[in-house]
Amino acid sequence: MATAMGEELLTVDTVTGYTAKTLSSCKTSPICKDVSRLRAREIGGGNLNFAFAVEDDNGGAVFVKQAPDFIKVIPDHRLESERIKLEHEFYKDLHEVLGQPLSAKHLPVMHAFD
């Protein structure tokens, strides 16, 4: 399934390949980049976005979030996908306000954003 913007929606079956490709140039990746060693599970409970935990066989893990241009639980209701950019900017700003020690303790590490 694709969004109105033409982006493919991630699934448990496709998110490992997406993650390996996206993190391939990331020097601080907490997981291996060999897609054959990755497994994924969907994180439920959210109403707006698609969310996945991607883990490797060494215990490393990342959280992958996708914000389509609709509400996850009500696909025929449009919602700006721009919201994920605002969330990303919020975390960057909050990191600057809190400084490194508090950010490391309380904020997620953003390894990639697209």
Side-chain angles (χ1 to χ4, degrees):
M1 182 174 163
T3 68
M5 302 292 289
E7 300 169 311
E8 285 297 315
L9 289 177
L10 295 172
T11 67
V12 170
D13 296 325
T14 62
V15 72
T16 54
Y18 167 82
T19 302
K21 181 181 176 185
T22 302
L23 295 180
S24 64
S25 62
C26 179
K27 295 177 179 157
T28 62
S29 174
I31 63 173
C32 74
K33 297 163 191 164
D34 178 356
V35 70
S36 69
R37 295 177 51 201
L38 299 178
R39 64 188 177 284
R41 63 183 168 83
E42 187 169 2
I43 298 173
N47 294 322
L48 297 178
N49 305 307
F50 292 88
F52 304 89
V54 178
E55 303 166 341
D56 66 18
D57 53 8
N58 291 323
V62 294
F63 176 79
V64 178
K65 186 175 190 179
Q66 185 179 32
D69 54 1
F70 58 86
I71 298 173
K72 176 184 166 185
V73 297
I74 313 171
D76 56 333
H77 281 68
R78 308 295 340 129
L79 187 63
E80 292 293 324
S81 59
E82 186 78 13
R83 68 188 185 277
I84 198 72
K85 292 177 185 173
L86 295 172
E87 182 177 330
H88 183 254
E89 289 299 316
F90 169 78
Y91 278 119
K92 283 175 45 179
D93 291 346
L94 191 55
H95 176 77
E96 288 181 25
V97 170
L98 293 177
Q100 181 56 34
L102 286 175
S103 292
K105 185 175 179 180
H106 298 288
L107 298 180
V109 176
M110 305 285 184
H111 296 285
F113 179 80
D114 61 4

